[in-house]
PDB file of all heavy atoms in Angstrom:
ATOM      1  N   ALA E 132     -66.832  15.382   5.952  1.00 98.00           N
ATOM      2  CA  ALA E 132     -66.128  15.676   7.207  1.00 98.00           C
ATOM      3  C   ALA E 132     -66.533  14.677   8.325  1.00 98.00           C
ATOM      4  O   ALA E 132     -65.683  14.174   9.032  1.00 98.00           O
ATOM      5  CB  ALA E 132     -66.397  17.088   7.647  1.00 98.00           C
ATOM      6  N   ARG E 133     -67.841  14.421   8.463  1.00 98.00           N
ATOM      7  CA  ARG E 133     -68.305  13.487   9.492  1.00 98.00           C
ATOM      8  C   ARG E 133     -67.725  12.075   9.292  1.00 98.00           C
ATOM      9  O   ARG E 133     -67.224  11.452  10.203  1.00 98.00           O
ATOM     10  CB  ARG E 133     -69.837  13.384   9.444  1.00 98.00           C
ATOM     11  CG  ARG E 133     -70.446  12.497  10.504  1.00 98.00           C
ATOM     12  CD  ARG E 133     -71.908  12.218  10.319  1.00 98.00           C
ATOM     13  NE  ARG E 133     -72.727  13.369   9.961  1.00 98.00           N
ATOM     14  CZ  ARG E 133     -73.311  14.226  10.834  1.00 98.00           C
ATOM     15  NH1 ARG E 133     -73.207  14.013  12.104  1.00 98.00           N
ATOM     16  NH2 ARG E 133     -74.045  15.188  10.400  1.00 98.00           N
ATOM     17  N   ALA E 134     -67.693  11.649   7.998  1.00 97.00           N
ATOM     18  CA  ALA E 134     -67.154  10.284   7.679  1.00 97.00           C
ATOM     19  C   ALA E 134     -65.729  10.154   8.002  1.00 97.00           C
ATOM     20  O   ALA E 134     -65.194   9.041   8.217  1.00 97.00           O
ATOM     21  CB  ALA E 134     -67.433   9.983   6.197  1.00 97.00           C
ATOM     22  N   ASN E 135     -65.012  11.327   8.113  1.00 97.00           N
ATOM     23  CA  ASN E 135     -63.631  11.274   8.364  1.00 97.00           C
ATOM     24  C   ASN E 135     -63.276  11.770   9.794  1.00 97.00           C
ATOM     25  O   ASN E 135     -62.169  12.124  10.086  1.00 97.00           O
ATOM     26  CB  ASN E 135     -62.870  12.185   7.322  1.00 97.00           C
ATOM     27  CG  ASN E 135     -62.754  11.441   5.989  1.00 97.00           C
ATOM     28  OD1 ASN E 135     -61.976  10.574   5.856  1.00 97.00           O
ATOM     29  ND2 ASN E 135     -63.704  11.800   5.060  1.00 97.00           N
ATOM     30  N   GLY E 136     -64.295  11.758  10.659  1.00 97.00           N
ATOM     31  CA  GLY E 136     -64.030  11.919  12.072  1.00 97.00           C
ATOM     32  C   GLY E 136     -64.053  13.401  12.538  1.00 97.00           C
ATOM     33  O   GLY E 136     -63.684  13.677  13.721  1.00 97.00           O
ATOM     34  N   ALA E 137     -64.487  14.297  11.751  1.00 98.00           N
ATOM     35  CA  ALA E 137     -64.565  15.744  12.160  1.00 98.00           C
ATOM     36  C   ALA E 137     -65.589  15.909  13.310  1.00 98.00           C
ATOM     37  O   ALA E 137     -66.704  15.422  13.235  1.00 98.00           O
ATOM     38  CB  ALA E 137     -64.972  16.612  11.016  1.00 98.00           C
ATOM     39  N   PRO E 138     -65.173  16.665  14.399  1.00 98.00           N
ATOM     40  CA  PRO E 138     -66.119  16.933  15.499  1.00 98.00           C
ATOM     41  C   PRO E 138     -67.044  18.052  15.097  1.00 98.00           C
ATOM     42  O   PRO E 138     -68.113  18.216  15.737  1.00 98.00           O
ATOM     43  CB  PRO E 138     -65.193  17.316  16.666  1.00 98.00           C
ATOM     44  CG  PRO E 138     -63.995  17.868  15.958  1.00 98.00           C
ATOM     45  CD  PRO E 138     -63.804  17.138  14.639  1.00 98.00           C
ATOM     46  N   ALA E 139     -66.660  18.939  14.174  1.00 98.00           N
ATOM     47  CA  ALA E 139     -67.437  20.092  13.780  1.00 98.00           C
ATOM     48  C   ALA E 139     -66.948  20.598  12.438  1.00 98.00           C
ATOM     49  O   ALA E 139     -65.837  20.346  12.050  1.00 98.00           O
ATOM     50  CB  ALA E 139     -67.380  21.167  14.857  1.00 98.00           C
ATOM     51  N   VAL E 140     -67.840  21.349  11.761  1.00 98.00           N
ATOM     52  CA  VAL E 140     -67.491  21.900  10.516  1.00 98.00           C
ATOM     53  C   VAL E 140     -67.769  23.415  10.614  1.00 98.00           C
ATOM     54  O   VAL E 140     -68.844  23.860  11.151  1.00 98.00           O
ATOM     55  CB  VAL E 140     -68.324  21.341   9.361  1.00 98.00           C
ATOM     56  CG1 VAL E 140     -67.993  22.023   8.007  1.00 98.00           C
ATOM     57  CG2 VAL E 140     -68.102  19.805   9.236  1.00 98.00           C
ATOM     58  N   GLU E 141     -66.876  24.212  10.089  1.00 98.00           N
ATOM     59  CA  GLU E 141     -67.023  25.674  10.077  1.00 98.00           C
ATOM     60  C   GLU E 141     -67.085  26.175   8.653  1.00 98.00           C
ATOM     61  O   GLU E 141     -66.533  25.555   7.701  1.00 98.00           O
ATOM     62  CB  GLU E 141     -65.814  26.393  10.770  1.00 98.00           C
ATOM     63  CG  GLU E 141     -65.882  26.389  12.218  1.00 98.00           C
ATOM     64  CD  GLU E 141     -64.803  27.217  12.842  1.00 98.00           C
ATOM     65  OE1 GLU E 141     -63.865  27.661  12.184  1.00 98.00           O
ATOM     66  OE2 GLU E 141     -64.837  27.405  14.105  1.00 98.00           O
ATOM     67  N   GLY E 142     -67.777  27.289   8.454  1.00 98.00           N
ATOM     68  CA  GLY E 142     -67.798  27.991   7.219  1.00 98.00           C
ATOM     69  C   GLY E 142     -67.491  29.455   7.502  1.00 98.00           C
ATOM     70  O   GLY E 142     -67.607  29.884   8.672  1.00 98.00           O
ATOM     71  N   TYR E 143     -67.262  30.212   6.498  1.00 97.00           N
ATOM     72  CA  TYR E 143     -66.928  31.625   6.631  1.00 97.00           C
ATOM     73  C   TYR E 143     -67.703  32.475   5.597  1.00 97.00           C
ATOM     74  O   TYR E 143     -67.116  33.212   4.796  1.00 97.00           O
ATOM     75  CB  TYR E 143     -65.420  31.820   6.531  1.00 97.00           C
ATOM     76  CG  TYR E 143     -64.678  30.713   7.329  1.00 97.00           C
ATOM     77  CD1 TYR E 143     -64.142  29.598   6.696  1.00 97.00           C
ATOM     78  CD2 TYR E 143     -64.682  30.841   8.692  1.00 97.00           C
ATOM     79  CE1 TYR E 143     -63.571  28.647   7.416  1.00 97.00           C
ATOM     80  CE2 TYR E 143     -64.019  29.840   9.445  1.00 97.00           C
ATOM     81  CZ  TYR E 143     -63.465  28.711   8.856  1.00 97.00           C
ATOM     82  OH  TYR E 143     -62.932  27.699   9.599  1.00 97.00           O
ATOM     83  N   PRO E 144     -69.049  32.290   5.628  1.00 97.00           N
ATOM     84  CA  PRO E 144     -69.853  32.932   4.612  1.00 97.00           C
ATOM     85  C   PRO E 144     -70.029  34.456   4.765  1.00 97.00           C
ATOM     86  O   PRO E 144     -69.775  34.997   5.836  1.00 97.00           O
ATOM     87  CB  PRO E 144     -71.205  32.254   4.837  1.00 97.00           C
ATOM     88  CG  PRO E 144     -71.278  31.936   6.283  1.00 97.00           C
ATOM     89  CD  PRO E 144     -69.851  31.547   6.624  1.00 97.00           C
ATOM     90  N   VAL E 145     -70.400  35.044   3.704  1.00 94.00           N
ATOM     91  CA  VAL E 145     -70.723  36.453   3.737  1.00 94.00           C
ATOM     92  C   VAL E 145     -72.219  36.666   4.161  1.00 94.00           C
ATOM     93  O   VAL E 145     -73.088  35.834   3.820  1.00 94.00           O
ATOM     94  CB  VAL E 145     -70.511  37.056   2.343  1.00 94.00           C
ATOM     95  CG1 VAL E 145     -71.309  36.473   1.255  1.00 94.00           C
ATOM     96  CG2 VAL E 145     -70.678  38.558   2.341  1.00 94.00           C
ATOM     97  N   ASP E 146     -72.479  37.627   4.918  1.00 91.00           N
ATOM     98  CA  ASP E 146     -73.800  38.035   5.297  1.00 91.00           C
ATOM     99  C   ASP E 146     -74.294  39.107   4.398  1.00 91.00           C
ATOM    100  O   ASP E 146     -73.825  40.228   4.464  1.00 91.00           O
ATOM    101  CB  ASP E 146     -73.819  38.482   6.781  1.00 91.00           C
ATOM    102  CG  ASP E 146     -75.236  38.699   7.323  1.00 91.00           C
ATOM    103  OD1 ASP E 146     -76.190  38.664   6.511  1.00 91.00           O
ATOM    104  OD2 ASP E 146     -75.347  39.015   8.512  1.00 91.00           O
ATOM    105  N   PRO E 147     -75.288  38.881   3.486  1.00 89.00           N
ATOM    106  CA  PRO E 147     -75.733  39.856   2.573  1.00 89.00           C
ATOM    107  C   PRO E 147     -76.465  41.022   3.232  1.00 89.00           C
ATOM    108  O   PRO E 147     -76.660  42.069   2.584  1.00 89.00           O
ATOM    109  CB  PRO E 147     -76.753  39.089   1.717  1.00 89.00           C
ATOM    110  CG  PRO E 147     -76.440  37.679   1.847  1.00 89.00           C
ATOM    111  CD  PRO E 147     -75.889  37.521   3.227  1.00 89.00           C
ATOM    112  N   GLU E 148     -76.768  40.912   4.528  1.00 85.00           N
ATOM    113  CA  GLU E 148     -77.372  41.963   5.281  1.00 85.00           C
ATOM    114  C   GLU E 148     -78.621  42.524   4.601  1.00 85.00           C
ATOM    115  O   GLU E 148     -78.779  43.779   4.533  1.00 85.00           O
ATOM    116  CB  GLU E 148     -76.319  43.066   5.564  1.00 85.00           C
ATOM    117  CG  GLU E 148     -75.079  42.550   6.337  1.00 85.00           C
ATOM    118  CD  GLU E 148     -73.958  43.518   6.299  1.00 85.00           C
ATOM    119  OE1 GLU E 148     -74.026  44.648   5.744  1.00 85.00           O
ATOM    120  OE2 GLU E 148     -72.901  43.149   6.875  1.00 85.00           O
ATOM    121  N   GLY E 149     -79.413  41.654   4.024  1.00 85.00           N
ATOM    122  CA  GLY E 149     -80.664  42.040   3.381  1.00 85.00           C
ATOM    123  C   GLY E 149     -80.483  42.550   1.933  1.00 85.00           C
ATOM    124  O   GLY E 149     -81.515  42.758   1.244  1.00 85.00           O
TER     125      GLY E 149
END
Side-chain angles (χ1 to χ4, degrees):
R133 183 190 317 270
N135 286 283
V140 178
E141 281 185 352
Y143 315 101
V145 61
D146 185 353
E148 302 167 1

